[in-house]
């Protein structure tokens, strides 16, 4: 009985720990994009802003020519969609971001990335 309860919880925690790399990677993108927008008044590509995706066996990150962040996993199976995205837009020289919340079970706070007030 103990194994019937403990094993699924263990696998859920393993999935959550694997997904934890996507938050800091997206946060780095947001900070670098913010700096680029301040200096250029427009969005930059990953290469232009100096963003280098982490080396990962869990996620495939957006190409260096992309202007928006995306990370896709083929091994995390707890979610309906295995792609996490942050879309940037620039208005009046200020960047704003919309982060996907495709998998709140694994990354509950991902939707707040790029949010200035956490809501």
């Amino acid at each position: 009985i103990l194994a019937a309860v403990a094993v699924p919880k263990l696998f859920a925690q393993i999935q959550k720990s694997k997904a934890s790399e996507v938050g800091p990677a997206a946060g780095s993108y947001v900070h670098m994009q913010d700096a680029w927008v301040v200096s250029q008044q427009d969005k930059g590509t990953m290469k232009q802003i100096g963003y280098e995706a982490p080396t990962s066996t869990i996620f495939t990150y957006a190409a260096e020519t992309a202007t928006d962040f995306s990370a896709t996993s083929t091994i995390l199976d707890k979610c309906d969609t295995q792609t996490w995205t942050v879309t940037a837009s620039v208005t009046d020289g200020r960047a704003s971001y919309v982060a996907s919340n495709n998998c709140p079970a694994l990354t509950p706070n991902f939707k707040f990335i790029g949010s200035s007030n956490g809501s």
Side-chain angles (χ1 to χ4, degrees):
I1 293 173
L2 182 59
V5 173
V7 170
K9 287 188 180 254
L10 173 66
F11 286 127
Q13 289 296 8
I14 290 169
Q15 291 268 313
K16 196 170 186 176
S17 71
K18 288 179 179 179
S20 69
E21 92 175 43
V22 75
S28 293
Y29 159 79
V30 167
H31 291 300
M32 296 177 97
Q33 192 67 263
D34 278 342
W36 181 265
V37 168
V38 167
S39 68
Q40 302 296 317
Q41 304 296 304
D42 199 6
K43 286 194 325 185
T45 65
M46 299 288 191
K47 185 174 184 173
Q48 287 172 323
I49 68 174
Y51 179 80
E52 289 186 33
T55 302
S56 177
T57 58
I58 311 299
F59 290 96
T60 302
Y61 290 92
E64 64 180 20
T65 56
T67 57
D68 293 318
F69 176 90
S70 72
T72 303
S73 175
T74 57
I75 66 169
L76 298 174
D77 58 7
K78 192 158 176 71
C79 307
D80 295 334
T81 303
Q82 284 121 343
T83 300
W84 285 254
T85 60
V86 178
T87 304
S89 60
V90 178
T91 305
D92 296 329
R94 292 187 54 142
S96 60
Y97 303 92
V98 176
S100 66
N101 193 23
N102 297 332
C103 195
L106 294 182
T107 54
N109 293 322
F110 191 83
K111 67 181 177 180
F112 299 121
I113 290 176
S115 170
S116 62
N117 62 6
S119 61

